[in-house]
């Protein structure tokens, strides 16, 4: 009688090896999805910061007057169309008695010191664009309220 593996032992080794490979593949799949999700969230956070800066630039270039009033909202889409930012300007902090405060109406919060002149309260919401195929299965919504000086 020759020594070697029996049929039952070969089947057990094959089952053991295949189980280890299945566990390794599932771990690799979870790890890849987690890395992709972290990358998408960080990209959304960077886009949110860019949206705040672009809004401040838009406010700086906006001509407030009796016809136009004050800028109330800004909508921005990322260059790769993955994210959409909706920025609402909730308050303008302007010196009481300034003409600009009269143009903004309810958005104006009159202040008495020069230190806060021109500050704005922004509410920024960044969402993934559902029409972009790169966002399949990803639903990221980031919200930030910030007080900024344009």
């Amino acid at each position: 009688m020759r020594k070697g593996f029996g049929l039952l032992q070969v089947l057990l080794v094959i089952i053991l090896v295949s189980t280890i490979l299945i566990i390794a593949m599932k771990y690799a799949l979870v790890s890849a999805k987690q890395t992709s999700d972290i990358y998408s969230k960080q990209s959304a956070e960077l886009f949110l910061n860019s949206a705040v800066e672009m809004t401040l630039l838009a406010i700086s270039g906006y001509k407030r007057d009796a016809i136009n009033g004050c800028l109330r909202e800004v909508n921005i889409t990322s260059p790769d169309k993955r994210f959409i930012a909706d920025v609402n300007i909730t308050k303008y902090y302007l010196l009481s008695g300034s003409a600009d405060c009269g143009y903004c109406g309810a958005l104006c919060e009159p202040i008495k010191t020069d230190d806060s002149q021109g500050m704005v309260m922004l509410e920024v919401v960044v969402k993934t664009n559902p029409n972009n195929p790169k966002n399949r299965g990803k639903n990221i919504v980031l919200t930030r309220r910030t007080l900024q000086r344009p």
Side-chain angles (χ1 to χ4, degrees), residues 12-60:
L12 287 175
V13 168
I14 290 174
I15 290 173
L16 180 66
V17 169
S18 63
T19 303
I20 291 171
L21 289 176
I22 288 173
I23 290 171
M25 292 299 291
K26 285 191 180 227
Y27 178 74
L29 180 66
V30 167
S31 178
K33 182 174 179 352
Q34 193 174 36
T35 302
S36 173
D37 290 346
I38 290 170
Y39 173 77
S40 294
K41 186 170 184 218
Q42 287 178 345
S43 296
E45 287 176 6
L46 289 172
F47 178 66
L48 187 140
N49 292 337
S50 297
V52 168
E53 295 297 323
M54 290 175 70
T55 301
L56 295 176
L57 185 64
I59 291 170
S60 296

Side-chain angles (χ1 to χ4, degrees), residues 2 7 14-15 21 33 59 72-73 81 100-101 104 107 116 119 142-143:
R2 295 185 191 174
L7 183 59
I14 290 174
I15 290 173
L21 289 176
K33 182 174 179 352
I59 291 170
R72 295 179 179 271
E73 65 180 35
K81 310 268 191 283
D100 285 349
C101 196
C104 296
L107 289 179
S116 300
M119 302 273 294
L142 299 176
T143 304

Side-chain angles (χ1 to χ4, degrees), residues 134-150:
K134 292 180 183 177
N135 291 336
R136 54 187 123 102
K138 293 184 178 114
N139 187 20
I140 298 172
V141 178
L142 299 176
T143 304
R144 180 180 296 165
R145 288 185 182 96
T146 180
L147 185 63
Q148 297 284 327
R149 181 184 304 277

Side-chain angles (χ1 to χ4, degrees), residues 56-73:
L56 295 176
L57 185 64
I59 291 170
S60 296
Y62 190 78
K63 181 170 173 48
R64 291 188 280 245
D65 57 21
I67 297 170
N68 295 328
C70 287
L71 188 62
R72 295 179 179 271
E73 65 180 35

